[in-house]
Amino acid sequence: MKWIMAPLVGALIGLLTNGLAIKMLFRPFKPVFIGKFRVPFTPGLIPKERKRIAQAVGQVIGRSLLDSDTLKNALCSQNMETAFREKAGNYIQKLEESPDNVEQYLDRKHFLAVAEGVKEKALATFPDYAAHKLSSDDMGHRIIDMVMTDVVENLGPMVKMVAKPALEASRESLGNTINTWIDEKMPGLVSEYLEKSYRGLMESPVKDAGASLRKHEKELEDYLWKMYQELMEKKAAELVAVLDIPTIIEEKIAVFDMEELEHLILEISQKELNSLVWLGGILGMLIGFINAFF
């Protein structure tokens, strides 16, 4: 009889202890007290050490698994490049099929105010800057010198004989006059040109821009992808540092519902954990045989 009972009891004890040990990894979720006395092994191991486990998992994932090289390789992978080029092609196609002009398109995308702001800033600064730059570079006298060099020198001998001395004699006053004209007239002309160009751009069909981009689609995609790769090469480490992946993972684990976490782990490792329970039963049965034998 003992040859049957001892292995059965050993197997039963092995099954129960291993099953209980696995259960106690998670449960109870909170400490259990009898009066002021806390029952040993409560809460379960994982709830009790949740903070330390969260820190360890965060450090391992953040520093070893999701480091800057891993992130860079993932963000610059062949799949990412394929998706990038596909998105670019789809965007160009949408532009080609758009019935809007540029102004309507920007307004629909809520970018019109940005474009208007850029235009106003350009009109407020660039005309005066352009006039000042030309005037400070003494453009008036440079124009007179260019006329004397490139135009007068190519005139006939008789005309040259008259024109050259006249220009040389009036070089200073003509240069000053042109510089004054630049200071007074250039800002208005530049403003008018910018305003006219902006209006022309806003009224142009979006599909024309799409067609133009389509002609140079391959070169544009190559250029943008190269810029993106260079940016990732330089900024991947900074991006990882800013994201602070270990802290994000630690915080997510720390607030994860323990019952959900238990369900998730058991669902993933149910087969392995069941194997451990049955292994305990087999070992218990073997120990029972040994005890019965001796």
Side-chain angles (χ1 to χ4, degrees):
M1 188 70 175
K2 68 176 182 178
W3 293 99
I4 298 174
M5 291 302 298
L8 285 177
V9 171
L12 182 62
I13 291 172
L15 288 170
L16 290 175
T17 53
N18 277 23
L20 182 61
I22 290 172
K23 203 69 174 175
M24 288 177 66
L25 287 173
F26 298 94
R27 294 178 182 267
F29 298 141
K30 296 179 180 180
V32 176
F33 289 89
I34 299 177
K36 294 183 178 180
F37 178 73
R38 183 172 66 86
V39 177
F41 308 111
T42 64
L45 178 63
I46 291 178
K48 181 180 179 181
E49 301 293 339
R50 176 197 287 220
K51 184 175 181 180
R52 187 171 62 84
I53 293 171
Q55 289 175 341
V57 172
Q59 293 299 324
V60 169
I61 294 176
R63 294 184 179 177
S64 301
L65 300 181
L66 283 178
D67 56 7
S68 59
D69 289 335
T70 303
L71 183 64
K72 180 182 65 179
N73 292 336
L75 292 176
C76 296
S77 65
Q78 184 62 51
N79 289 339
M80 182 66 76
E81 181 178 0
T82 300
F84 178 89
R85 293 180 182 275
E86 184 179 340
K87 286 288 185 182
N90 292 340
Y91 181 73
I92 292 174
Q93 183 176 349
K94 288 180 181 179
L95 292 180
E96 289 177 318
E97 296 172 353
S98 175
D100 299 332
N101 61 27
V102 172
E103 185 173 31
Q104 292 168 333
Y105 183 82
L106 291 177
D107 188 35
R108 191 157 50 83
K109 296 293 183 179
H110 308 292
F111 281 115
L112 184 59
V114 176
E116 290 285 346
V118 172
K119 181 200 75 169
E120 294 301 326
K121 188 172 182 179
L123 288 173
T125 58
F126 187 71
D128 289 333
Y129 170 80
H132 175 73
K133 183 67 176 174
L134 292 174
S135 180
S136 62
D137 287 345
D138 198 14
M139 187 57 65
H141 292 95
R142 291 171 67 178
I143 291 172
I144 298 299
D145 293 339
M146 182 184 66
V147 170
M148 292 176 64
T149 301
D150 297 339
V151 178
V152 175
E153 293 298 331
N154 294 319
L155 296 175
M158 292 297 294
V159 178
K160 179 180 177 181
M161 186 172 62
V162 175
K164 188 173 182 179
L167 282 174
E168 288 176 346
S170 58
R171 177 184 179 277
E172 188 66 26
S173 61
L174 284 174
N176 290 337
T177 300
I178 293 174
N179 283 335
T180 300
W181 182 88
I182 289 173
D183 285 334
E184 294 176 354
K185 302 294 184 181
M186 182 63 73
L189 292 174
V190 172
S191 295
E192 183 180 346
Y193 174 78
L194 289 176
E195 187 69 54
K196 185 177 179 180
S197 299
Y198 178 80
R199 265 296 110 212
L201 175 64
M202 290 294 107
E203 293 171 2
S204 63
V206 170
K207 61 183 179 182
D208 288 355
S212 178
L213 290 174
R214 182 68 73 185
K215 292 178 182 178
H216 306 284
E217 180 179 1
K218 180 66 168 57
E219 296 91 333
L220 180 62
E221 288 177 358
D222 290 343
Y223 176 74
L224 292 176
W225 179 250
K226 184 178 178 181
M227 285 183 61
Y228 172 78
Q229 284 182 307
E230 291 176 354
L231 180 64
M232 288 300 102
E233 286 282 346
K234 296 176 181 177
K235 299 296 184 180
E238 292 181 23
L239 182 59
V240 169
V242 170
L243 287 175
D244 195 7
I245 294 172
T247 301
I248 292 175
I249 294 172
E250 179 183 339
E251 290 174 351
K252 292 297 290 184
I253 294 176
V255 299
F256 208 86
D257 182 74
M258 284 306 306
E259 195 164 354
E260 281 188 49
L261 184 61
E262 178 189 26
H263 177 73
L264 179 63
I265 294 176
L266 291 178
E267 186 177 7
I268 293 171
S269 55
Q270 187 68 52
K271 183 179 179 181
E272 291 75 12
L273 294 176
N274 285 338
S275 297
L276 288 175
V277 173
W278 284 108
L279 179 61
I282 293 170
L283 290 175
M285 184 176 64
L286 289 175
I287 292 171
F289 268 125
I290 294 171
N291 286 334
F293 183 77
F294 289 102

